[in-house]
Amino acid sequence: MSRIGKLPISIPDGVEVKLEGSKLSAKGPKGTECVEIPSEIEVVINDKEIVVNRKAEDRKSRSLHGLFRTLIFNAVTGVKTPFEKKLEIVGVGYRAAMQGSAINLSLGYSHPVIVEPPQGITISVEANTKITVSGSNKQMVGDIAALIRSKRPPEVYKGKGVKYEGEYIARKVGKAGKK
């Protein structure tokens, strides 16, 4: 039995969960999330609890069991408290500014880099060098944060670029320190 898959998911107050056919939807104060349940997985909704079971013991069912329990858990918790990723910009002249709902990044290129977030994702900038990406869908938050980071990943000699908050950059010495 999957150690993750067998754990029940408690439904927090203010979140409404419905199962219609093979589609589970969670509705809360921060939005609505839907998870498409495959035929190998069975979902049972009790009073304040969701239990995820597998219908068979084949390899595919076992591999999907823990995955879909985690996807359902992320959907239920995301509509109550949004997920967020924080990014830092390091480098002289590198900065970020909001331009409506989009973010305008000055990252040392000859042109500004503009990233428009999809619906359900909010981006905010604090102090020109700190960016926060938040939303109810954990995967989309991570994808947008990775997209922003990919515009200028941190380089290993001076550490300049866009990095996740708390990310360790393994630094290289360079030509002068080679002796």
Side-chain angles (χ1 to χ4, degrees), residues 7 10 14 21 35 50 58-59 66 87 108 110 117:
L7 299 173
S10 62
V35 178
I50 301 171
D58 61 321
R59 184 182 182 112
L87 298 143
S110 61

Side-chain angles (χ1 to χ4, degrees), residues 55-108:
K55 293 181 180 174
E57 290 298 319
D58 61 321
R59 184 182 182 112
K60 186 175 182 186
S61 297
R62 289 195 316 264
S63 66
L64 293 175
H65 189 200
L67 169 69
F68 276 91
R69 188 263 178 207
T70 303
L71 292 177
I72 292 168
F73 177 77
N74 288 342
V76 169
T77 55
V79 296
K80 179 73 173 174
T81 56
F83 296 102
E84 65 178 31
K85 290 260 187 185
K86 294 184 181 279
L87 298 143
E88 297 174 350
I89 300 175
V90 179
V92 177
Y94 290 11
R95 63 184 167 275
M98 292 304 296
Q99 200 172 45
S101 65
I103 187 169
N104 184 351
L105 302 166
S106 299
L107 299 173

